[in-house]
């Protein structure tokens, strides 16, 4: 007799589709079979039973370097994620200059503990790689289960230079952590932005030309080169251009430990959305910016071909009012408007409807992109699949439910969704976290605090031969041991 049995559904994993019941005890999957009985039962007849989504790129209770706070905290952000089919998420914990890493993680612990309805971890943003950070605090973060570190190549208050980037890659490599990078060329962006503003081109639509595709591809190429120099693992986040994606694909083909991520908005929105009347374009400002339809098609090809291991929302919620997008007034220039848009609740319904529903990806690819790949890459050892011994983090989808997207359906703290009015088919109707119903039939059933911190393991790099620069290899550099 199990605590809970999910009966009659079609189970989908990253490799298989099969009919079976799932027996759950003590929050874990205890059996897969037929005719299982439990103290409690969920009838999943006609439904798809999949691993709960893992949202691996979102900004929750995070202040920017200039002080603006995201509108979602761990309560509202996790609730919105859960309504969108997720049972785990990994937001960022952002170090700002002058802050320690341990202090940063303690701060985010205080924001997350007792608030989240789903399990969570953090990626650490490193903006101030002092000697203490490199030698003491990053290893301590890793030991605490924070096994991924993000760096920025742009934003004056956040970015690291190439040498600092190499230091972080090297420490990450030593411990088995994964470095993540926001890859855009800072000088190109500030040079164009200043010229646009000086010429009076200040409205939100000029955010697109201020962040040219070349700024992304130059930085992606440089980031990959730095990672290859020290043979470290690197994930390029929120890739928005075919050129950036092709660089990642080439590096992967060459065996380098390079990974890529793209996001919902780059597949479904374009720079024309930035050109909406008045300040409405501000709702669609994110960095890198939205591109065009040919770019969307190229990014779909890369998603299908496996260039992108992860597909994320990059939920960075700033309300369309003076608390968020309009904090610098109704006439702010595009340079003064917060970058980011919400989407944690729409990542999976959009990918399911437009991906699986329109024959662009298989159900298996959907599961891989929604949960399994992120679990493996980010060391969430008990999550991301339906197998005996895994956490019972499960999303049950009605593949036929059709909805028109509204902001009310997002259950976040936002006053808009960039996907308003889209028709989607396929909806997560029940979401379980460690066997506990978080969402069922449109209702929130978990309390804030149900979600627990998950210490993550290191990335499995099996199958990546890597790349040893001859200049760093003692066999070919006259015996100099200068990097691990
Ligand atoms: N980078 C992100 O990852 N999200 C929002 C804005 C940004 O620059
Ligand atoms: Zn970024
Ligand atoms: Zn982001």
């Amino acid at each position: 007799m199990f605590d809970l049995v999910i009966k009659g559904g079609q189970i989908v994993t990253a490799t298989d589709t099969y009919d079976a019941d799932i027996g759950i005890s003590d929050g874990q999957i205890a059996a897969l079979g037929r005719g299982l009985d439990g103290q409690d039962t969920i009838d999943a007849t006609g439904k798809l039973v999949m691993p709960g989504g893992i949202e691996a790129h979102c900004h929750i209770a995070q202040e920017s370097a200039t002080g603006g706070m995201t509108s979602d905290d761990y309560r509202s952000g996790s609730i919105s994620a859960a309504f969108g089919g997720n049972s785990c998420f990994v937001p960022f914990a952002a170090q700002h200059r002058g802050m320690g890493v341990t202090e940063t993680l303690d701060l985010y612990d205080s924001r997350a503990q007792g608030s989240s309805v789903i399990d969570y971890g953090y990626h650490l943003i490193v903006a101030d790689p002092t000697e203490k950070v490199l030698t003491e605090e990053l290893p301590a973060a890793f030991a605490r289960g924070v096994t991924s570190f993000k760096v920025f190549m742009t934003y004056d208050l956040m970015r690291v230079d190439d040498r600092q980037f190499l230091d972080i890659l090297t420490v990450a490599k030593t411990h088995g952590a994964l470095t993540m990078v926001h890859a855009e060329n800072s000088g190109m962006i500030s040079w164009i932005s200043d010229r646009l503003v000086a010429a009076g081109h200040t409205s939100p639509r000029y955010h697109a030309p201020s962040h040219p595709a070349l700024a992304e591809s130059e930085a992606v190429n440089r980031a990959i080169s730095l990672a290859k120099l020290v043979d470290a693992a690197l994930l390029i986040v929120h890739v928005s251009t075919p050129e950036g994606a092709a660089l990642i694909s080439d590096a992967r083909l060459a065996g380098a430990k390079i990974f890529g991520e793209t996001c919902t908005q780059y597949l479904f929105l374009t720079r024309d959305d930035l050109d909406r009347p008045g300040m409405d374009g501000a709702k669609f400002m994110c960095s890198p910016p939205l591109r065009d339809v040919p770019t969307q098609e190229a990014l779909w090809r890369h998603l299908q071909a496996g260039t992108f291991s992860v597909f994320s929302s990059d939920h960075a919620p700033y309300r369309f009012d003076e608390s968020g997008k309009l904090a610098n007034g109704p006439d702010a220039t595009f340079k003064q408007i917060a970058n980011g848009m919400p989407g944690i609740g729409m990542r999976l319904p959009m990918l399911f409807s437009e991906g699986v529903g329109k024959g662009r990806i298989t159900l298996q690819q959907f599961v891989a992109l929604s949960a399994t790949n992120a679990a493996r890459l980010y060391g969430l050892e008990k999550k991301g699949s339906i197998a005996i011994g895994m956490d019972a983090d499960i999303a049950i989808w009605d593949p036929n439910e059709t909805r028109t997207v509204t902001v009310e359906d997002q259950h976040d703290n936002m006053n808009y969704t960039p996907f308003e009015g889209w028709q989607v088919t396929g909806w997560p109707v029940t979401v379980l976290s460690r066997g506990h119903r978080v969402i069922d039939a449109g209702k929130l059933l978990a309390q804030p605090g149900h979600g627990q911190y998950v210490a993550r393991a290191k990335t499995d790099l099996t199958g990546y031969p890597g790349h040893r620069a001859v200049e760093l290899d003692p066999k070919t550099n006259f015996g100099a041991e200068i990097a691990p």
Side-chain angles (χ1 to χ4, degrees):
M1 187 62 104
F2 300 98
D3 296 345
L4 172 67
V5 170
I6 302 173
K7 280 184 108 60
Q10 186 170 59
I11 296 174
V12 188
T13 70
T15 52
D16 299 299
T17 304
Y18 56 97
D19 294 331
D21 302 341
I22 302 177
I24 296 167
S25 285
D26 299 324
Q28 294 196 338
I29 297 172
L32 299 168
R34 292 186 198 276
L36 304 183
D37 284 318
Q39 288 166 1
D40 188 5
T41 304
I42 294 175
D43 178 8
T45 308
K47 308 273 182 3
L48 300 174
V49 182
M50 304 195 269
I54 298 173
E55 170 61 70
H57 185 151
C58 52
H59 303 269
I60 305 292
Q62 181 188 328
E63 56 272 278
S64 68
T66 48
M69 189 65 160
T70 58
S71 70
D72 281 310
D73 55 19
Y74 275 79
R75 192 193 64 80
S76 63
S78 66
I79 290 171
S80 184
F83 271 105
N86 298 286
S87 52
C88 180
F89 66 164
V90 189
F92 291 91
Q95 180 204 27
H96 294 293
R97 297 210 178 127
M99 282 173 82
V101 161
T102 305
E103 174 192 356
T104 302
L105 293 175
D106 289 348
L107 176 65
Y108 279 82
D109 272 348
S110 73
R111 291 173 177 176
Q113 278 164 3
S115 295
S116 183
V117 298
I118 58 175
D119 290 351
Y120 61 90
Y122 320 109
H123 309 289
L124 174 72
I125 291 175
V126 185
D128 199 2
T130 61
E131 194 57 26
K132 182 172 181 209
V133 165
L134 292 169
T135 57
E136 293 174 30
E137 294 203 297
L138 290 183
F142 185 83
R144 173 172 178 159
V146 176
T147 58
S148 42
F149 310 146
K150 180 180 177 188
V151 298
F152 285 84
M153 297 170 84
T154 185
Y155 298 125
D156 286 344
L157 294 173
M158 300 297 285
R159 71 190 164 100
V160 295
D161 64 25
D162 293 350
R163 187 186 164 122
Q164 292 172 313
F165 196 164
L166 284 169
D167 280 338
I168 293 165
L169 284 163
T170 306
V171 173
K173 178 185 176 183
T174 304
H175 293 276
L178 179 66
T179 304
M180 306 160 75
V181 63
H182 177 131
E184 285 189 290
N185 177 298
S186 178
M188 286 187 196
I189 293 168
S190 65
W191 186 84
I192 301 181
S193 298
D194 288 348
R195 289 185 162 232
L196 283 164
V197 171
H201 303 306
T202 59
S203 63
R205 64 183 174 181
Y206 294 104
H207 179 66
S210 72
H211 289 63
L214 272 171
E216 179 171 288
S217 55
E218 185 284 325
V220 169
N221 186 49
R222 184 156 36 102
I224 290 174
S225 303
L226 295 170
K228 281 168 74 175
L229 182 72
V230 292
D231 193 22
L234 179 68
L235 171 86
I236 293 101
V237 298
H238 50 47
V239 176
S240 68
T241 59
E243 297 82 2
L247 288 162
I248 294 166
S249 171
D250 288 349
R252 289 173 64 76
L253 280 173
K257 299 162 186 166
I258 302 297
F259 301 88
E261 173 203 74
T262 193
C263 305
T264 325
Q265 56 268 31
Y266 303 119
L267 297 187
F268 303 116
L269 305 171
T270 69
R271 67 163 69 94
D272 288 346
D273 290 300
L274 285 160
D275 194 20
R276 296 198 186 198
M279 288 298 271
D280 267 20
K283 296 175 180 172
F284 297 87
M285 282 179 61
C286 58
S287 285
L290 303 173
R291 309 287 181 184
D292 54 17
V293 171
T295 295
Q296 293 179 340
E297 281 160 14
L299 295 178
W300 272 111
R301 296 288 93 74
H302 280 285
L303 204 64
Q304 292 159 331
T307 303
F308 297 122
S309 305
V310 265
F311 175 75
S312 306
S313 72
D314 196 0
H315 182 76
Y318 300 101
R319 288 170 65 89
F320 189 64
D321 60 27
E322 51 295 335
S323 73
K325 292 282 185 184
L326 307 179
N328 288 313
D331 301 318
T333 72
F334 69 85
K335 284 179 67 178
Q336 299 168 301
I337 297 172
N339 266 313
M341 64 173 82
I344 202 166
M346 288 315 303
R347 172 182 77 112
L348 297 180
M350 293 294 287
L351 185 66
F352 189 92
S353 186
E354 292 290 316
V356 179
K358 301 228 167 127
R360 289 169 165 135
I361 56 171
T362 64
L363 268 175
Q364 279 67 38
Q365 283 174 304
F366 174 78
V367 172
L369 290 167
S370 62
T372 314
N373 291 356
R376 299 294 81 82
L377 195 61
Y378 292 121
L380 291 156
E381 293 177 306
K382 290 277 189 188
K383 302 196 185 286
S385 192
I386 294 186
I388 292 169
M390 300 294 276
D391 284 351
D393 282 15
I394 292 170
I396 302 174
W397 284 65
D398 181 343
N400 301 314
E401 182 168 340
T402 296
R403 292 203 177 198
T404 303
V405 178
T406 64
V407 65
E408 290 75 31
D409 265 350
Q410 305 311 305
H411 305 275
D412 56 9
N413 271 346
M414 288 296 295
N415 58 359
Y416 77 93
T417 164
F419 305 105
E420 185 83 37
W422 278 71
Q423 284 260 109
V424 291
T425 299
W427 199 258
V429 289
T430 303
V431 176
L432 305 181
S433 158
R434 285 177 278 105
H436 184 86
R437 286 176 181 81
V438 179
I439 305 293
D440 198 25
K443 292 212 162 34
L444 173 69
L445 300 180
Q447 295 297 322
H450 167 81
Q452 299 291 308
Y453 172 72
V454 186
R456 295 182 290 117
K458 64 180 177 185
T459 301
D460 181 357
L461 294 172
T462 307
Y464 288 84
H467 173 276
R468 189 76 168 146
V470 291
E471 297 83 356
L472 266 65
D473 189 342
K475 289 205 255 353
T476 40
N477 74 357
F478 312 110
E481 298 274 3
I482 52 173

